[in-house]
Amino acid sequence: RKAGQEQWSTLGTGFNDASFATTVAYGKLYVGGFFTTAGGKNCRRIASWNGAVWDSLGVGLSGLVTLIEPMIWDGENGLLIGGYFTSAVSKGVTLSCSGLVFWSVDSSKYKLYKGLTTANGTIPVYKYLVDANGWEYFLGGFGKMMRAGTDTATSYGICRFKTGVGLQNIGTGVRGDQN
């Protein structure tokens, strides 16, 4: 539904499969899910809507997207993306990324987010939060989160990270669906 209007409208021809994650940022709607096309355009698992047409974010991701969170990181506007994926493709480059990746809106490419990954990309991050002290919290179904071979958190389904401190367990974690 468009603001100020009393009717719903379609967004192009939609997706060829389910969508799970959405956010509005940088003047666009971003949607992630199982789909591989949006509005008839190839958009592997993630797409943006500018008010008129769907567009891809690079070639896309290798699996389901469950989280899209707008953020500024390393001086760039972008999106933190979580899900069941092991790679992302943009500008002809395949990036190995397990369950978590950053899309730079400014440079239109995927980047590893602070070197953080889930154990094997088959268990996703569902939620992302930041507290007033700069701790970043990751919630999902993962059993392990790692940072570029330097540290590992093994508390099931939840951990936190802070630059300069590293990954930390939160107790022994939580079990079950974190949605």
Side-chain angles (χ1 to χ4, degrees), residues 66-175:
T66 58
L67 167 78
I68 306 173
E69 184 71 30
M71 64 167 40
I72 297 172
W73 173 59
D74 207 21
E76 294 187 70
N77 294 307
L79 305 167
L80 182 64
I81 303 166
Y84 293 87
F85 52 81
T86 56
S87 64
V89 181
S90 58
K91 297 190 175 186
V93 175
T94 300
L95 176 67
S96 180
C97 55
S98 185
L100 198 63
V101 70
F102 179 80
W103 169 258
S104 170
V105 172
D106 298 334
S107 64
S108 298
K109 67 180 185 178
Y110 292 102
K111 298 179 176 188
L112 288 178
Y113 181 66
K114 299 183 180 181
L116 296 169
T117 62
T118 60
N120 60 12
T122 60
I123 307 296
V125 173
Y126 292 122
K127 302 286 184 202
Y128 169 82
L129 306 162
V130 181
D131 72 15
N133 297 312
W135 282 101
E136 299 174 80
Y137 292 83
F138 299 90
L139 291 88
F142 54 86
K144 185 189 312 185
M145 173 130 351
M146 301 164 289
R147 183 174 59 116
T150 60
D151 51 355
T152 300
T154 57
S155 52
Y156 187 87
I158 187 168
C159 66
R160 69 183 191 169
F161 174 80
K162 188 173 186 179
T163 300
V165 178
L167 278 167
Q168 289 186 348
N169 291 324
I170 298 179
T172 59
V174 291
R175 295 283 176 182

Side-chain angles (χ1 to χ4, degrees), residues 11-15 37-41 54:
L11 304 180
T13 57
F15 309 113
T37 64
K41 182 173 185 170
W54 287 103

